[in-house]
Amino acid sequence: MPAVYKRELRSYFCSLTGYIFIAAVVAFTGIYFMANNLSYGLPYFSYTLMNSVLIYIFVVPILTMRSFAGERRSKTDQLLITSPVGVPAIVLGKYFAMMTVFAIPLALFCVCPLIISTGGTAYFLSDYMAVICVLVIGALFVAIGMFISSLTENQIISAVITLIVLFVLYMWDNLIAFIPSSPTASLVCCIILLAVIAGCVWLLSKNKIITAIVFAAGAVALTAVGVIDFSLFRDLIPTALGSFSVISVLYNFCYYQVFDLGGLIMCLTLAAVFVFLTVRSIQKRRGGGTLLITALVIAAAVLLNLLAARLPSNIREFDVSGSKLYSVSETSKEYVSGLEEDVELILVAEKDSIDERITKFVDSYAGMSSRISVRQEDPVLSPSVLDKYECTADSLVVRSKATGKQTAIPFSGPSEALITYAFDYSSMSYQESQFDAEGQITAAIEYVTAGSSDTVYVLTGHGEAEFSASAAGMLTKANITVNDSLNLLMDGGIPEDCSLLITNCPSADLANDEFTMIREYLAKGGDIMLIMDYSNLPNFNKLMAEYGMKLEPGFAGDAEKYYAQYVQYYGYFCMAPTLSETGITAGITENALVIYPRAITLSDPARDTITSESFMTTTENGVYYEDTQSDPVTGTYVLGATAKEPAGDGTACVTVISAASLIDPNLTGSFANMSNLDIFARAAVQDMEHTSGVVIPAKSLGITHNVFDHYGILSALFIFLIPAAALVIGLAVWVRRKRR
């Protein structure tokens, strides 16, 4: 094999074939690299590989057309067939030579993620996994082309047929969409397939009895399935054919950034089958081999891939995305593993309309616990399911038969959906902003399995800022009922079911009666959260002082952990708070962003039974300005603190946050990847009785675009210089060989 490999590899670079292949692939991919990554600033090179795979449909036939067709046309194939080297060694030598040529442009592309990193963010793992995916898909394409070349002596016919076959593979998913999915249509297709299989058995065995047994066994199996449940035939053929979609594998790696082990197995096994078929094709001319072995190999490969496609997604797919979009947190894993009741996840939608990201995530929950089952119901075929589950189409229904509770989560929407969207002013259109599948599903599971829930009341009547819908959504995700309009004087006090009272940035003070109500509520073991931005409110100040906290009149900044890109607008006052090691902040790794926070001073509380601790501060390089005329005072300043005291049948808890911007919707909407809402939610649920405290923040779908000031040289390198160099070298080699 090494001798054949060296001979074939040399032949590609002693002619123009190898150089044309390299030049075409590099130039075509270079155009997308320039447009996607250098000009538009996308940090994912995998997107470029996904877009440029079309070029391989046209250049792979050029690479493979002469592998055996050229040998047959020049009659040199007889020398290979009669040589002492085995046919498998000959085929593998040629195959690996073509794969070496195929891999050369991909080796050059390995530099591209490094180039992207110079402009900002790069995702090396997903990009290099995408390169591996294209290499494996290329292995299949080359194997197909080589097999077709072994069937004819005309190189043009070989190239054209290979191009058609590869184009069919490229359009595979679109073609499958035209196949009827009804049970009757699938049954008819199965009968036709059974007849074809029986015909192949007859051709291979020439035995009527064996053929009859095979056909009868298949007919009995189809009849049994139809009698047991005729609906099992629905989508059978499209689903089976969909298991062999090469483009789905490409999308998994390049677009969804998922390492698709099942897809790689499919491509490699199919490539091995076509290499094997090439060997059998040559051996047939040599006078060896039987059709029965060929049929068994093909059947084994098909069966292996059908079985691999049925494996749970958590076994055959792995998250390699930069934001770990499809990875379930340890918090959810621990919660789900402890389930004591069965939970159903029902995708109420047409199968083709379900976003792949949602499918992957829902399947991952089923893989984490035997208590969770997943199924899909089509509201078009069965409209009654919408009334049954009290939901709209394109929803995920989470249901527990034990408690009889269920809830529906929309696939997409502006809030409280698996995928949320927001208005993008740069494009003047709505764009996907967050992927909240984990948070919504885990919260829904907790809701349907829990007996009761907590209630939060938001105080009004003191010029409070509007309570953020995003903050309310985080509490709702934790199965907390939010009442955003409680006026103590008009509503007659604090309701008995109040688990937490929140006041959001009041600009007016509490009335004396309200102050008394709140103190009595705390004396019974109540909880209150004060999000403060005004320090001249005597009753609020008196309440905080009782629990050992004082809101200073000035602002705190941080000379160490400030956001440099906004320093010209906010100075040190646009900062990332330092999170203390407390139960509230445990496990939070992302930075938060607050603007112009007040400073809190911790002092001695009114009673020795009260204990307080900070959970959010500045660094020791914090700066405090009492007013615009004063000099800064350096030190560590508290931005968030809690005070607790045994009271009534429980514990009273007072939480003060001096950064009103922590839940500002303008900030949390623009910086979805920050931990602002996570900190708020954890502080809110820290002392609740009926809430587990499982609050999973949404994952941002926003893309941070890179900036390349001068990308003309890099663009020219891939689009013109490297392809031109390859062609010039190829022409020089070709002309020199012609002159000899």
Side-chain angles (χ1 to χ4, degrees), residues 129-146:
M129 290 300 103
V131 171
I132 292 174
C133 172
V134 174
L135 180 64
V136 172
I137 291 175
L140 174 58
F141 284 7
V142 170
I144 292 172
M146 182 177 68

Side-chain angles (χ1 to χ4, degrees), residues 45-66:
F45 182 64
S46 57
Y47 286 10
T48 294
L49 290 174
M50 179 181 65
N51 295 144
S52 62
V53 77
L54 182 64
I55 188 62
Y56 294 105
I57 295 173
F58 297 95
V59 296
V60 166
I62 297 174
L63 183 67
T64 61
M65 66 181 184
R66 62 176 292 275

